[in-house]
Amino acid sequence: MQSSILVGDVGGTNCRLALAEKTALGTIELHHSERFSVNQYKHFHDVVHEYLISKKVKPKQAAFAFAGPKFDDEIRMTNVDWMVSENDLVKEFGFSRAVVLNDFVAMANGARVIPDDGFEILIPGKVNYNKPVAVLGPGTGLGVSCILPGRPPRIIATEGGHSSFSPQSELELLILKYWQKQISYVSSEILISGPGLFRIYSALCNILGETALCTIENEIVAAAEANPNSVARQSVIIFCNMLATFSGNIAFTTGATGGVVLAGGVTRHISPFIPESNFIKRFRVRGHGTWFMQEIPVRIIKAHFVALYGAAEMVLSTH
């Protein structure tokens, strides 16, 4: 494992670390993967120390993907009070090189290298990396990045999840008004995220005068599966429609004629409900802009650990 590099995918809820190495065939292999709960640690360095001690390894290089924007050599996480810099990582752990990057830059990079069977097709068509491709997805927040064509391709991190929420139905407008009374600015990620799914459910129970049976967000998908007539089921369908509208907005904004790739665990969990929703119509039907959307393929990443592969490739591809 002396040639392995340390890689990490750090979100607002969970942090996953692993060791990565390039095989003789040129593929990337991950091993010794471990997940940590972010709220149990004061700083990211504490997680890394615990992992390295438990695995008894001293990798010379590292690459970490974080849910937050990068400025110079530093990441400031969006939903966690952590700041991490490449310089501090080198000093603290003796790495010869440490790379920090936005998690959706890593996700987009990973999407480029995983095989086609790692995806589920939502809207048919081959993703074309010779044109701009948008990569986005809900987790604790709502990540957005864009892959621009070139050799090598350039990946642009964005904070598109903080754009304002755009309701497209009377019910969505009522949900927005419900949360506007409690939150001064309702961004897209306030509703299109893991916590956002619970916010949709809470608002819908209030609007419909129903008793909220789910107490945490993890219960909503299970309740939706169990009862097709439940508020939970309606909440998940509304979530799918909101995600479709947001995905189309990002396709417009980034000029993503090469395709849209949806990522994240939340997307995987709600994907069985997408056929029941108006996803394709909400993505494609755009008034005077409808023509632009007709040939854009949309797919969901079903493979796991894609951001880890993407982070690893950032370092191993330079060897």
Side-chain angles (χ1 to χ4, degrees), residues 57-96:
V57 292
K58 287 189 176 180
K60 294 179 180 178
Q61 298 191 87
F64 302 115
F66 294 90
K70 182 177 181 179
F71 299 99
D72 298 322
D73 83 327
E74 184 177 81
I75 289 275
R76 181 190 295 270
M77 293 192 69
T78 304
N79 292 305
V80 182
D81 189 24
W82 285 0
M83 291 177 61
V84 184
S85 79
E86 294 169 346
N87 190 46
D88 287 347
L89 287 166
V90 167
K91 288 180 180 177
E92 181 80 13
F93 299 101
F95 298 128
S96 62

mmCIF file of all heavy atoms in Angstrom, residues 57-96:
data_model
loop_
_atom_site.group_PDB
_atom_site.id
_atom_site.type_symbol
_atom_site.label_atom_id
_atom_site.label_comp_id
_atom_site.label_asym_id
_atom_site.label_seq_id
_atom_site.Cartn_x
_atom_site.Cartn_y
_atom_site.Cartn_z
ATOM 1 N N VAL A 57 -1.155 3.290 8.112
ATOM 2 C CA VAL A 57 -0.588 3.671 6.812
ATOM 3 C C VAL A 57 -0.106 5.116 6.861
ATOM 4 O O VAL A 57 -0.556 5.916 7.684
ATOM 5 C CB VAL A 57 -1.623 3.526 5.673
ATOM 6 C CG1 VAL A 57 -1.949 2.063 5.444
ATOM 7 C CG2 VAL A 57 -2.889 4.324 5.968
ATOM 8 N N LYS A 58 0.848 5.425 5.967
ATOM 9 C CA LYS A 58 1.348 6.794 5.827
ATOM 10 C C LYS A 58 1.459 7.130 4.340
ATOM 11 O O LYS A 58 2.552 7.177 3.786
ATOM 12 C CB LYS A 58 2.708 6.951 6.514
ATOM 13 C CG LYS A 58 2.646 6.974 8.030
ATOM 14 C CD LYS A 58 3.992 7.350 8.623
ATOM 15 C CE LYS A 58 3.909 7.482 10.139
ATOM 16 N NZ LYS A 58 5.212 7.858 10.735
ATOM 17 N N PRO A 59 0.329 7.347 3.685
ATOM 18 C CA PRO A 59 0.377 7.677 2.252
ATOM 19 C C PRO A 59 1.096 9.001 2.024
ATOM 20 O O PRO A 59 1.044 9.914 2.858
ATOM 21 C CB PRO A 59 -1.093 7.767 1.859
ATOM 22 C CG PRO A 59 -1.822 8.010 3.129
ATOM 23 C CD PRO A 59 -1.039 7.349 4.210
ATOM 24 N N LYS A 60 1.757 9.087 0.875
ATOM 25 C CA LYS A 60 2.546 10.286 0.584
ATOM 26 C C LYS A 60 1.719 11.388 -0.069
ATOM 27 O O LYS A 60 2.117 12.559 -0.052
ATOM 28 C CB LYS A 60 3.719 9.915 -0.327
ATOM 29 C CG LYS A 60 4.727 8.992 0.344
ATOM 30 C CD LYS A 60 5.864 8.636 -0.597
ATOM 31 C CE LYS A 60 6.866 7.714 0.091
ATOM 32 N NZ LYS A 60 7.961 7.317 -0.831
ATOM 33 N N GLN A 61 0.572 11.023 -0.638
ATOM 34 C CA GLN A 61 -0.260 12.012 -1.319
ATOM 35 C C GLN A 61 -1.719 11.828 -0.917
ATOM 36 O O GLN A 61 -2.116 10.748 -0.457
ATOM 37 C CB GLN A 61 -0.119 11.888 -2.833
ATOM 38 C CG GLN A 61 1.276 12.149 -3.348
ATOM 39 C CD GLN A 61 1.286 12.276 -4.843
ATOM 40 O OE1 GLN A 61 1.080 13.360 -5.396
ATOM 41 N NE2 GLN A 61 1.513 11.172 -5.536
ATOM 42 N N ALA A 62 -2.496 12.900 -1.093
ATOM 43 C CA ALA A 62 -3.907 12.850 -0.707
ATOM 44 C C ALA A 62 -4.728 13.767 -1.606
ATOM 45 O O ALA A 62 -4.231 14.764 -2.135
ATOM 46 C CB ALA A 62 -4.073 13.270 0.753
ATOM 47 N N ALA A 63 -6.006 13.391 -1.767
ATOM 48 C CA ALA A 63 -6.957 14.222 -2.516
ATOM 49 C C ALA A 63 -8.311 14.113 -1.828
ATOM 50 O O ALA A 63 -8.814 13.007 -1.634
ATOM 51 C CB ALA A 63 -7.062 13.760 -3.970
ATOM 52 N N PHE A 64 -8.870 15.265 -1.455
ATOM 53 C CA PHE A 64 -10.112 15.272 -0.689
ATOM 54 C C PHE A 64 -11.144 16.169 -1.371
ATOM 55 O O PHE A 64 -10.845 17.308 -1.746
ATOM 56 C CB PHE A 64 -9.870 15.795 0.730
ATOM 57 C CG PHE A 64 -8.844 15.008 1.500
ATOM 58 C CD1 PHE A 64 -7.647 15.604 1.876
ATOM 59 C CD2 PHE A 64 -9.068 13.691 1.848
ATOM 60 C CE1 PHE A 64 -6.693 14.899 2.592
ATOM 61 C CE2 PHE A 64 -8.136 12.965 2.567
ATOM 62 C CZ PHE A 64 -6.939 13.564 2.937
ATOM 63 N N ALA A 65 -12.364 15.642 -1.497
ATOM 64 C CA ALA A 65 -13.480 16.393 -2.087
ATOM 65 C C ALA A 65 -14.401 16.857 -0.964
ATOM 66 O O ALA A 65 -14.816 16.045 -0.137
ATOM 67 C CB ALA A 65 -14.235 15.513 -3.067
ATOM 68 N N PHE A 66 -14.718 18.138 -0.938
ATOM 69 C CA PHE A 66 -15.534 18.723 0.127
ATOM 70 C C PHE A 66 -16.768 19.415 -0.447
ATOM 71 O O PHE A 66 -16.711 20.005 -1.523
ATOM 72 C CB PHE A 66 -14.740 19.772 0.916
ATOM 73 C CG PHE A 66 -13.586 19.214 1.689
ATOM 74 C CD1 PHE A 66 -12.328 19.123 1.111
ATOM 75 C CD2 PHE A 66 -13.746 18.792 2.999
ATOM 76 C CE1 PHE A 66 -11.255 18.618 1.820
ATOM 77 C CE2 PHE A 66 -12.679 18.286 3.721
ATOM 78 C CZ PHE A 66 -11.425 18.196 3.130
ATOM 79 N N ALA A 67 -17.857 19.382 0.331
ATOM 80 C CA ALA A 67 -19.074 20.086 -0.054
ATOM 81 C C ALA A 67 -18.930 21.561 0.311
ATOM 82 O O ALA A 67 -19.358 22.015 1.372
ATOM 83 C CB ALA A 67 -20.282 19.479 0.650
ATOM 84 N N GLY A 68 -18.290 22.297 -0.569
ATOM 85 C CA GLY A 68 -18.080 23.724 -0.346
ATOM 86 C C GLY A 68 -17.188 24.303 -1.428
ATOM 87 O O GLY A 68 -16.536 23.563 -2.174
ATOM 88 N N PRO A 69 -17.146 25.626 -1.544
ATOM 89 C CA PRO A 69 -16.340 26.269 -2.576
ATOM 90 C C PRO A 69 -14.860 26.317 -2.210
ATOM 91 O O PRO A 69 -14.501 26.353 -1.027
ATOM 92 C CB PRO A 69 -16.925 27.683 -2.651
ATOM 93 C CG PRO A 69 -17.470 27.929 -1.273
ATOM 94 C CD PRO A 69 -17.950 26.594 -0.767
ATOM 95 N N LYS A 70 -14.007 26.314 -3.230
ATOM 96 C CA LYS A 70 -12.563 26.417 -3.021
ATOM 97 C C LYS A 70 -12.083 27.811 -3.384
ATOM 98 O O LYS A 70 -12.426 28.342 -4.438
ATOM 99 C CB LYS A 70 -11.827 25.373 -3.865
ATOM 100 C CG LYS A 70 -10.310 25.393 -3.656
ATOM 101 C CD LYS A 70 -9.618 24.295 -4.449
ATOM 102 C CE LYS A 70 -8.124 24.322 -4.211
ATOM 103 N NZ LYS A 70 -7.401 23.249 -4.953
ATOM 104 N N PHE A 71 -11.304 28.391 -2.496
ATOM 105 C CA PHE A 71 -10.654 29.682 -2.748
ATOM 106 C C PHE A 71 -9.164 29.496 -2.513
ATOM 107 O O PHE A 71 -8.744 29.113 -1.416
ATOM 108 C CB PHE A 71 -11.217 30.771 -1.835
ATOM 109 C CG PHE A 71 -12.690 31.024 -2.017
ATOM 110 C CD1 PHE A 71 -13.613 30.465 -1.155
ATOM 111 C CD2 PHE A 71 -13.147 31.802 -3.067
ATOM 112 C CE1 PHE A 71 -14.964 30.681 -1.316
ATOM 113 C CE2 PHE A 71 -14.506 32.029 -3.242
ATOM 114 C CZ PHE A 71 -15.422 31.470 -2.368
ATOM 115 N N ASP A 72 -8.361 29.758 -3.544
ATOM 116 C CA ASP A 72 -6.922 29.513 -3.493
ATOM 117 C C ASP A 72 -6.679 28.044 -3.134
ATOM 118 O O ASP A 72 -7.108 27.173 -3.865
ATOM 119 C CB ASP A 72 -6.239 30.478 -2.517
ATOM 120 C CG ASP A 72 -6.407 31.929 -2.951
ATOM 121 O OD1 ASP A 72 -6.348 32.194 -4.172
ATOM 122 O OD2 ASP A 72 -6.621 32.791 -2.083
ATOM 123 N N ASP A 73 -6.032 27.777 -1.982
ATOM 124 C CA ASP A 73 -5.758 26.372 -1.636
ATOM 125 C C ASP A 73 -6.675 25.885 -0.524
ATOM 126 O O ASP A 73 -6.411 24.867 0.106
ATOM 127 C CB ASP A 73 -4.289 26.204 -1.217
ATOM 128 C CG ASP A 73 -4.029 26.564 0.246
ATOM 129 O OD1 ASP A 73 -4.721 27.482 0.769
ATOM 130 O OD2 ASP A 73 -3.174 25.925 0.873
ATOM 131 N N GLU A 74 -7.782 26.591 -0.302
ATOM 132 C CA GLU A 74 -8.596 26.348 0.888
ATOM 133 C C GLU A 74 -10.054 26.082 0.528
ATOM 134 O O GLU A 74 -10.621 26.710 -0.365
ATOM 135 C CB GLU A 74 -8.502 27.562 1.799
ATOM 136 C CG GLU A 74 -9.207 27.434 3.134
ATOM 137 C CD GLU A 74 -8.977 28.669 3.992
ATOM 138 O OE1 GLU A 74 -9.679 29.673 3.770
ATOM 139 O OE2 GLU A 74 -8.083 28.627 4.850
ATOM 140 N N ILE A 75 -10.650 25.134 1.250
ATOM 141 C CA ILE A 75 -12.078 24.843 1.132
ATOM 142 C C ILE A 75 -12.790 25.333 2.389
ATOM 143 O O ILE A 75 -12.348 25.068 3.509
ATOM 144 C CB ILE A 75 -12.334 23.320 0.984
ATOM 145 C CG1 ILE A 75 -11.892 22.820 -0.385
ATOM 146 C CG2 ILE A 75 -13.810 22.991 1.248
ATOM 147 C CD1 ILE A 75 -12.901 22.976 -1.502
ATOM 148 N N ARG A 76 -13.867 26.055 2.186
ATOM 149 C CA ARG A 76 -14.759 26.417 3.292
ATOM 150 C C ARG A 76 -16.062 25.663 3.075
ATOM 151 O O ARG A 76 -16.793 25.939 2.132
ATOM 152 C CB ARG A 76 -15.014 27.920 3.324
ATOM 153 C CG ARG A 76 -15.912 28.372 4.476
ATOM 154 C CD ARG A 76 -16.307 29.828 4.302
ATOM 155 N NE ARG A 76 -15.176 30.714 4.386
ATOM 156 C CZ ARG A 76 -14.732 31.271 5.525
ATOM 157 N NH1 ARG A 76 -15.369 31.025 6.650
ATOM 158 N NH2 ARG A 76 -13.698 32.071 5.511
ATOM 159 N N MET A 77 -16.358 24.696 3.956
ATOM 160 C CA MET A 77 -17.548 23.884 3.768
ATOM 161 C C MET A 77 -18.820 24.697 3.975
ATOM 162 O O MET A 77 -18.843 25.625 4.785
ATOM 163 C CB MET A 77 -17.515 22.666 4.691
ATOM 164 C CG MET A 77 -16.414 21.673 4.326
ATOM 165 S SD MET A 77 -16.590 20.102 5.195
ATOM 166 C CE MET A 77 -18.075 19.432 4.413
ATOM 167 N N THR A 78 -19.855 24.339 3.232
ATOM 168 C CA THR A 78 -21.089 25.121 3.221
ATOM 169 C C THR A 78 -21.976 24.838 4.421
ATOM 170 O O THR A 78 -22.510 25.755 5.044
ATOM 171 C CB THR A 78 -21.873 24.842 1.918
ATOM 172 O OG1 THR A 78 -21.029 25.118 0.801
ATOM 173 C CG2 THR A 78 -23.103 25.720 1.830
ATOM 174 N N ASN A 79 -22.139 23.554 4.764
ATOM 175 C CA ASN A 79 -23.072 23.188 5.826
ATOM 176 C C ASN A 79 -22.392 22.650 7.085
ATOM 177 O O ASN A 79 -23.055 22.113 7.964
ATOM 178 C CB ASN A 79 -24.068 22.140 5.289
ATOM 179 C CG ASN A 79 -24.992 22.737 4.234
ATOM 180 O OD1 ASN A 79 -25.663 23.731 4.481
ATOM 181 N ND2 ASN A 79 -25.014 22.153 3.054
ATOM 182 N N VAL A 80 -21.075 22.790 7.157
ATOM 183 C CA VAL A 80 -20.294 22.371 8.323
ATOM 184 C C VAL A 80 -19.259 23.450 8.604
ATOM 185 O O VAL A 80 -18.716 24.054 7.672
ATOM 186 C CB VAL A 80 -19.567 21.021 8.056
ATOM 187 C CG1 VAL A 80 -18.790 20.571 9.290
ATOM 188 C CG2 VAL A 80 -20.547 19.951 7.641
ATOM 189 N N ASP A 81 -18.963 23.683 9.870
ATOM 190 C CA ASP A 81 -18.009 24.731 10.234
ATOM 191 C C ASP A 81 -16.576 24.217 10.150
ATOM 192 O O ASP A 81 -15.841 24.190 11.140
ATOM 193 C CB ASP A 81 -18.318 25.247 11.650
ATOM 194 C CG ASP A 81 -17.504 26.491 11.993
ATOM 195 O OD1 ASP A 81 -17.083 27.200 11.060
ATOM 196 O OD2 ASP A 81 -17.279 26.744 13.195
ATOM 197 N N TRP A 82 -16.180 23.763 8.967
ATOM 198 C CA TRP A 82 -14.820 23.283 8.727
ATOM 199 C C TRP A 82 -14.177 24.094 7.607
ATOM 200 O O TRP A 82 -14.801 24.367 6.585
ATOM 201 C CB TRP A 82 -14.811 21.820 8.307
ATOM 202 C CG TRP A 82 -15.069 20.832 9.395
ATOM 203 C CD1 TRP A 82 -15.308 21.078 10.714
ATOM 204 C CD2 TRP A 82 -15.130 19.412 9.247
ATOM 205 N NE1 TRP A 82 -15.512 19.913 11.397
ATOM 206 C CE2 TRP A 82 -15.405 18.862 10.523
ATOM 207 C CE3 TRP A 82 -14.974 18.536 8.167
ATOM 208 C CZ2 TRP A 82 -15.521 17.495 10.743
ATOM 209 C CZ3 TRP A 82 -15.099 17.172 8.375
ATOM 210 C CH2 TRP A 82 -15.362 16.653 9.655
ATOM 211 N N MET A 83 -12.917 24.458 7.831
ATOM 212 C CA MET A 83 -12.085 25.036 6.780
ATOM 213 C C MET A 83 -10.843 24.154 6.661
ATOM 214 O O MET A 83 -10.224 23.816 7.668
ATOM 215 C CB MET A 83 -11.698 26.476 7.102
ATOM 216 C CG MET A 83 -12.855 27.451 7.050
ATOM 217 S SD MET A 83 -12.382 29.141 7.536
ATOM 218 C CE MET A 83 -11.155 29.519 6.295
ATOM 219 N N VAL A 84 -10.488 23.780 5.438
ATOM 220 C CA VAL A 84 -9.369 22.870 5.213
ATOM 221 C C VAL A 84 -8.511 23.422 4.086
ATOM 222 O O VAL A 84 -9.029 23.775 3.027
ATOM 223 C CB VAL A 84 -9.868 21.454 4.838
ATOM 224 C CG1 VAL A 84 -8.685 20.495 4.712
ATOM 225 C CG2 VAL A 84 -10.873 20.939 5.857
ATOM 226 N N SER A 85 -7.199 23.491 4.320
ATOM 227 C CA SER A 85 -6.308 23.994 3.282
ATOM 228 C C SER A 85 -5.271 22.945 2.907
ATOM 229 O O SER A 85 -4.884 22.097 3.731
ATOM 230 C CB SER A 85 -5.593 25.268 3.741
ATOM 231 O OG SER A 85 -4.509 24.969 4.592
ATOM 232 N N GLU A 86 -4.830 23.001 1.658
ATOM 233 C CA GLU A 86 -3.804 22.081 1.182
ATOM 234 C C GLU A 86 -2.514 22.256 1.956
ATOM 235 O O GLU A 86 -1.850 21.276 2.335
ATOM 236 C CB GLU A 86 -3.579 22.312 -0.316
ATOM 237 C CG GLU A 86 -4.789 21.935 -1.161
ATOM 238 C CD GLU A 86 -4.707 22.389 -2.605
ATOM 239 O OE1 GLU A 86 -3.839 23.234 -2.920
ATOM 240 O OE2 GLU A 86 -5.526 21.904 -3.412
ATOM 241 N N ASN A 87 -2.157 23.500 2.240
ATOM 242 C CA ASN A 87 -0.917 23.790 2.963
ATOM 243 C C ASN A 87 -0.947 23.191 4.367
ATOM 244 O O ASN A 87 0.029 22.571 4.821
ATOM 245 C CB ASN A 87 -0.713 25.305 3.033
ATOM 246 C CG ASN A 87 0.662 25.673 3.544
ATOM 247 O OD1 ASN A 87 1.664 25.114 3.111
ATOM 248 N ND2 ASN A 87 0.723 26.599 4.485
ATOM 249 N N ASP A 88 -2.069 23.346 5.071
ATOM 250 C CA ASP A 88 -2.183 22.800 6.432
ATOM 251 C C ASP A 88 -2.143 21.271 6.424
ATOM 252 O O ASP A 88 -1.586 20.658 7.341
ATOM 253 C CB ASP A 88 -3.485 23.274 7.090
ATOM 254 C CG ASP A 88 -3.438 24.743 7.478
ATOM 255 O OD1 ASP A 88 -2.329 25.332 7.462
ATOM 256 O OD2 ASP A 88 -4.507 25.307 7.778
ATOM 257 N N LEU A 89 -2.743 20.648 5.413
ATOM 258 C CA LEU A 89 -2.717 19.192 5.315
ATOM 259 C C LEU A 89 -1.291 18.674 5.122
ATOM 260 O O LEU A 89 -0.889 17.672 5.727
ATOM 261 C CB LEU A 89 -3.600 18.722 4.161
ATOM 262 C CG LEU A 89 -5.113 18.824 4.382
ATOM 263 C CD1 LEU A 89 -5.862 18.659 3.059
ATOM 264 C CD2 LEU A 89 -5.597 17.772 5.384
ATOM 265 N N VAL A 90 -0.531 19.362 4.286
ATOM 266 C CA VAL A 90 0.866 18.968 4.058
ATOM 267 C C VAL A 90 1.668 19.079 5.356
ATOM 268 O O VAL A 90 2.437 18.183 5.722
ATOM 269 C CB VAL A 90 1.489 19.839 2.944
ATOM 270 C CG1 VAL A 90 3.006 19.673 2.910
ATOM 271 C CG2 VAL A 90 0.883 19.484 1.593
ATOM 272 N N LYS A 91 1.472 20.178 6.078
ATOM 273 C CA LYS A 91 2.196 20.380 7.342
ATOM 274 C C LYS A 91 1.790 19.364 8.405
ATOM 275 O O LYS A 91 2.633 18.829 9.133
ATOM 276 C CB LYS A 91 1.925 21.795 7.870
ATOM 277 C CG LYS A 91 2.594 22.910 7.088
ATOM 278 C CD LYS A 91 2.245 24.256 7.697
ATOM 279 C CE LYS A 91 2.900 25.397 6.932
ATOM 280 N NZ LYS A 91 2.501 26.720 7.483
ATOM 281 N N GLU A 92 0.490 19.105 8.497
ATOM 282 C CA GLU A 92 -0.032 18.247 9.558
ATOM 283 C C GLU A 92 0.321 16.776 9.363
ATOM 284 O O GLU A 92 0.654 16.072 10.320
ATOM 285 C CB GLU A 92 -1.549 18.400 9.636
ATOM 286 C CG GLU A 92 -2.233 17.580 10.719
ATOM 287 C CD GLU A 92 -2.140 18.215 12.099
ATOM 288 O OE1 GLU A 92 -1.759 19.401 12.187
ATOM 289 O OE2 GLU A 92 -2.445 17.525 13.081
ATOM 290 N N PHE A 93 0.269 16.308 8.102
ATOM 291 C CA PHE A 93 0.404 14.870 7.860
ATOM 292 C C PHE A 93 1.653 14.485 7.068
ATOM 293 O O PHE A 93 1.880 13.306 6.822
ATOM 294 C CB PHE A 93 -0.847 14.350 7.141
ATOM 295 C CG PHE A 93 -2.113 14.550 7.941
ATOM 296 C CD1 PHE A 93 -2.980 15.590 7.644
ATOM 297 C CD2 PHE A 93 -2.404 13.724 9.014
ATOM 298 C CE1 PHE A 93 -4.138 15.786 8.392
ATOM 299 C CE2 PHE A 93 -3.557 13.913 9.770
ATOM 300 C CZ PHE A 93 -4.425 14.945 9.467
ATOM 301 N N GLY A 94 2.433 15.471 6.670
ATOM 302 C CA GLY A 94 3.668 15.168 5.957
ATOM 303 C C GLY A 94 3.470 14.687 4.534
ATOM 304 O O GLY A 94 4.343 14.027 3.970
ATOM 305 N N PHE A 95 2.310 15.011 3.946
ATOM 306 C CA PHE A 95 2.092 14.648 2.550
ATOM 307 C C PHE A 95 3.067 15.415 1.655
ATOM 308 O O PHE A 95 3.375 16.581 1.926
ATOM 309 C CB PHE A 95 0.667 14.989 2.098
ATOM 310 C CG PHE A 95 -0.426 14.261 2.837
ATOM 311 C CD1 PHE A 95 -1.478 14.961 3.414
ATOM 312 C CD2 PHE A 95 -0.419 12.881 2.953
ATOM 313 C CE1 PHE A 95 -2.506 14.310 4.081
ATOM 314 C CE2 PHE A 95 -1.435 12.207 3.620
ATOM 315 C CZ PHE A 95 -2.476 12.916 4.195
ATOM 316 N N SER A 96 3.531 14.782 0.590
ATOM 317 C CA SER A 96 4.307 15.525 -0.400
ATOM 318 C C SER A 96 3.388 16.392 -1.253
ATOM 319 O O SER A 96 3.795 17.421 -1.787
ATOM 320 C CB SER A 96 5.096 14.561 -1.294
ATOM 321 O OG SER A 96 4.221 13.712 -2.023
#
